[in-house]
Every structure is written in structure tokens, then in C-alpha cells.
Amino acid sequence: MLSHRPRRRAVRGALLASAVSVCLVAAAAPDPTPAAPLGVGDHLFPELGNPGYDVLSYDLHFTYPGSNTRPMEAVTAIEARTTHRLERLNLDFAHGKVSSVTVDGAKAAFTTAGEDLVITPRALPEAGDTTRIVVRHTSDPRPPKGRDHGWVVTKDGLAMANQADAAHLVFPCNDHPSDKALYTIRVTAPTALTAVANGLPEKDARSAARAARTRTWTYRSRHPMATELVQVSVGRSAVVTRKGPHGLPLRDVVPAADRKKLEPWLAKTPGQIGWMEGKVGPYPFETYGILVADTATGFELETQTLSLFERFLFTEPAIPAWLVESVMVHELAHQWFGDSVTPATWSDVWLNEGHATWYEALHAEETGHRTLEERMKAAYASSDKWRAEGGPPAAPKAPRKGQKIGIFRPVIYDGAALVLYALRQEIGRHAFEQVERAWVHRHRDGTATTADFVGLASEIAGRDLGGFFRAWLHGTRTPPMPGHPDWRSNAPAAEGGPAAGRTAVPAPEPGRHGHAHMWHEYMGHDHMDHGR
């Protein structure tokens, strides 16, 4: 967890007024000092995360009533270790009603401040204490007005997509990727539905009645996970199992009616995992699979051990098969880059998306389709434009309030993959491949920064690459490409005027995962932003 000092900010207006419809039923806190929202000071999401403690584990229990027309009852239990004595415990939480809070078994007072649930325990934990917080609350599948949130409504139920800043609209948490934790997730749902979540399933419990109406599904993760990567889905689903490399248990979750139709795609996962292992080393988790949701989101998402995909990706005949596989590899690559090795701050997200885009493009090249050099040259042509629109790869511009995918611009996809290509050109293929393997091995199950990557690359290259990376990661203009002095990046358009020169790759609307611009090219749409 980041070691930021606690920062208190003035509460804007009344404590119960926030940027979304926060409807928390609060008990009055006895402490006369007004509660305030905290944050770990992330450049892009400064109010998220909370200093003073490290979450060790979450135990989430959702009770799904069978429809998305009303909030679910939920219980969130958090085990955390405090890093210093706290006056209060702040959790990120909004868009739900809290009915009670206990801390170490004793009732605790609570109130709200901005998008924080502020808890005042009877006995204040000391530095180094382990404390258990239990919050009984609701979780609403219906989004707040004018804002994205974590639940995704599907044709027959729901799924979850918390990236980047929406987990706290689903359950109370320390909603920042720097604080990873273990998870136990329980879902009680009508017996006609199937519930899935990250990790491996445990034996489920049924109602004692002979004609059981509900079933409780339990899943546990064996590796720590960031809040943005949590997955919970309920629907009329089929769970398809098989073995992957080294006996790895694979499970895919698909609409039951599509099981046969989707099988040719599901069968590709073992080979894709084997291909990625050949590039960067062993798969880092206990299981993997894809969750196919019958919904339109405009993105696919690398939720840990169970990546979320839109159904249309596999059923739309206009999308070339090799492109579908590239997208599958993109999300799979994230299990190493982003899930196992998680960015310490959101400005480090280029390490996630640049690497996933890199292996997506490399797979396309090695399976006889678009070459990596062709794609990187096209990206280079648009790089200055992307930097002007979204900021440099390691210093992205902040998103608009309430738009969880606002930071996911082309500059952190192909623009960041371009940085990796430049690094390979600069230090050579062999050293570059050493960097990739060492990165995922050294930081497995942890968090890492851009500075960590620069340090590792310099160590393996045997020379200081600080200047090289400063130019490529923080410069407003794209540096010359090593080995390709003829490559040119088109100057960004002056406000109100046309761009100079020819744009090789049209930039998509803000969306998710760098395959968006490829869909544009191959499907001829002006914008590939499905459902957003």
C-alpha cells in the first residue's frame, strides 16, 4: 500500500451531498470533529483509497433477488491491519444504504463524507492491530444518474466491471489498486440461476427445504486482487470446464443457450495460455476462463481469473477470427500485466495496457496476420495526436467525473505498446525478453510503478535508461524511433483545423483496450463504443 500521509479536505456542502446519489443511512458519530473524506492522493483519482490501513481480506455476500429492479441485500466483511492509530476508519462507498457497522464485534457509529463511509469504532485500533469491519448494506444494480458504476446488467442477470473507480459503488472497500487483498465471495440466488465469481468454487449450500428456492455459491481467491478486478455474475449460464497447460483448471461461463456455438472459441484458451507462458513464464493464478455476457458495454475486461467479454465479439460474423483471438490474448495477457503485477497508481496503467496490446499485436503477427512493425509504424504516425489528446503514456490526463473508462485512451494502448517497441529497438530483443520475464516474476502478486520498470530495464540493459524513458513516457512529443529514422508522427491538429499529413490509424472514441481502433478499421464504423 502507498505510504501517503492522511490528507483532510473540506467537505463540499453538506456531508450527505456527493457527486452521485449516495443514500447512506447513517448513525450520528459521537466525535465532535466533523468527518472528512480521505484519499491516497492518486493523481487521477485523488479521493479514492484511504490511508492508515492495509486490507488483508474481503468477505462479500450478495443476495440476488432474481431481477435488477431493486437493490440487493449485501454484507461486506473486511479484515485490515492498521499502519498507524486512526481517529476513524474511512471506506470508499456510495450508491447504497448502510444499515449497521460493527468493528471487532462491537457496534460502531458511522456517517458519510463525500463518497466515504466514515466509521468511528468504540475502541480505536492502534498501529499494527488487525481489525474486522462488518458492513450490512445494499448494492444496487441500477446505476446512479449520469454515472457509470460497477454492475453491468445483462439479458438474464448481471455481471461486474469495476475498472477503474467503480468498485465502491458496489461494496464498501479501499478502492485503489495499491491495496490488494484476498477475497471470499458468496452469492445467494434463485436455483434457476448460476452465480460465478473470481477464484475457485467451494461446496455450496442449499436451503433446508426440500424444494429449495435459493442456492449459495462460494468462491475463494488464492492470490491477492485489486478492487477493480473483482467479478461477480449471475444468470442463466453454463459453466464449461477443461484442463489447461500443466493441468490448470479452466472454467468458462457462457449463456446456456450459446454453449455449443461458443465452444470453438472456448477451446482456444489452453493454446493461448501456452503461448503466453512461452513469452513470459508460468500463468500466475489458480484458474482462468472467460465470462461471456449478453450485454453491450463497449469494452472487454480482465477481471482476475475470469475475463469479461461481450457476446457479440464471438457471434458477429463481420469481425475476423484472428482479431477475436487477438482480443482474447489481450485480456489473457492482463492476468500477468495488470492483475498479478498491478499498477501502484493509476498513472502507471500504461504498464497494463501497453503490455496487453503488445502481446495482442505479437500474437497477430506470429499467427500470420498484421505484422508488429506495421502496427507500430501506424501507431507512431498517430502518437503525437494521442499525446495531445490524452497526455503522455505515463502522465495521462484525468478523466471526466463519473466516467470510469475515461482514462482508457489510445495513448495507453498502442501509444504505450510503442514505448515497448522502442525499448526493444534500444536494448535488443534478447534483453527486452529478459525484462519482460523478470518483471512478472519479481513483482508477482504485488504492485509496481513506472520507476520500478525503468529500474529493471536499466539493470538488465546494463546502463541508465532514465533519459530514454523520460522522453518516451513523459514527453509531449514522440521521440525518434531507434532504428527507424524515417518514421514520422503527424503533428496534432490545431484547434479548429485539420491535422497535418495523413493519419495512419484513426483514433477511437474513449473506450477500452486497444483493439477498438482495429474494429474501426475492419468493420468500417466511425466509432466502436458499443453501448456507451
Side-chain angles (χ1 to χ4, degrees), residues 35 82 159 161 206 307 342 476:
T82 55
R206 295 177 184 267
S307 294
T342 302
T476 57

Side-chain angles (χ1 to χ4, degrees), residues 203-473:
K203 291 182 179 180
D204 60 277
R206 295 177 184 267
S207 165
R210 178 174 297 179
R213 295 182 179 180
T214 64
R215 179 177 184 177
T216 298
W217 306 74
T218 301
Y219 297 83
R220 293 188 193 274
S221 63
R222 293 183 180 174
H223 297 264
M225 178 165 60
T227 52
E228 48 124 352
L229 301 173
V230 175
Q231 180 57 263
V232 174
S233 179
V234 184
R236 297 183 183 278
S237 306
V239 178
V240 184
T241 61
R242 72 189 80 232
K243 293 292 184 182
H246 323 297
L248 177 72
L250 303 180
R251 56 87 189 257
D252 300 305
V253 183
V254 302
D258 294 324
R259 178 172 180 167
K260 185 175 181 180
K261 180 189 300 185
L262 295 175
E263 173 58 25
W265 293 112
L266 308 182
K268 293 180 182 294
T269 297
Q272 292 168 351
I273 293 174
W275 183 85
M276 276 298 303
E277 288 190 331
K279 299 299 181 188
V280 296
Y283 178 74
F285 298 123
E286 65 271 26
T287 184
Y288 185 65
I290 66 174
L291 168 63
V292 180
D294 195 351
T295 188
T297 60
F299 56 82
E300 327 306 316
L301 183 61
E302 66 273 17
T303 39
Q304 191 162 309
T305 71
L306 187 63
S307 294
L308 175 66
F309 291 86
E310 298 163 286
R311 177 182 179 275
F312 98 97
L313 179 66
F314 303 104
T315 59
E316 171 53 62
I319 305 176
W322 71 266
L323 182 55
V324 176
E325 284 201 62
S326 295
V327 176
M328 293 174 71
V329 169
H330 182 112
E331 305 310 331
L332 173 62
H334 271 308
Q335 302 300 311
W336 284 264
F337 300 94
D339 293 12
S340 179
V341 184
T342 302
T345 77
W346 278 111
S347 293
D348 300 311
V349 73
W350 76 273
L351 288 162
N352 297 18
E353 301 301 345
H355 278 102
T357 303
W358 175 263
Y359 289 103
E360 165 196 324
L362 198 61
H363 187 270
E365 177 178 70
E366 292 188 8
T367 52
H369 297 94
R370 191 180 189 187
T371 68
L372 179 67
E373 184 173 322
E374 175 190 6
R375 182 165 175 176
M376 293 299 99
K377 184 177 182 180
Y380 192 91
S382 292
S383 180
D384 279 355
K385 176 176 180 286
W386 291 342
R387 288 171 185 246
E389 292 173 345
K397 294 180 180 179
R400 289 196 294 272
K401 184 72 174 178
Q403 293 192 334
K404 68 181 182 182
I405 64 171
I407 63 173
F408 295 92
R409 305 179 180 101
V411 72
I412 66 163
Y413 291 97
D414 281 56
L418 193 65
V419 177
L420 298 177
Y421 183 79
L423 176 63
R424 194 177 78 169
Q425 293 289 103
E426 178 74 14
I427 67 176
R429 184 186 298 264
H430 178 68
F432 176 80
E433 291 174 353
Q434 284 184 296
V435 171
E436 295 292 275
R437 286 179 173 271
W439 178 252
V440 297
H441 175 74
R442 185 173 297 185
H443 298 287
R444 182 176 180 177
D445 284 340
T447 60
T449 65
T450 295
D452 291 327
F453 189 79
V454 173
L456 176 63
S458 298
E459 173 189 323
I460 290 177
R463 57 189 171 94
D464 184 5
L465 294 172
F468 168 86
F469 277 111
R470 275 192 298 275
W472 276 96
L473 291 174

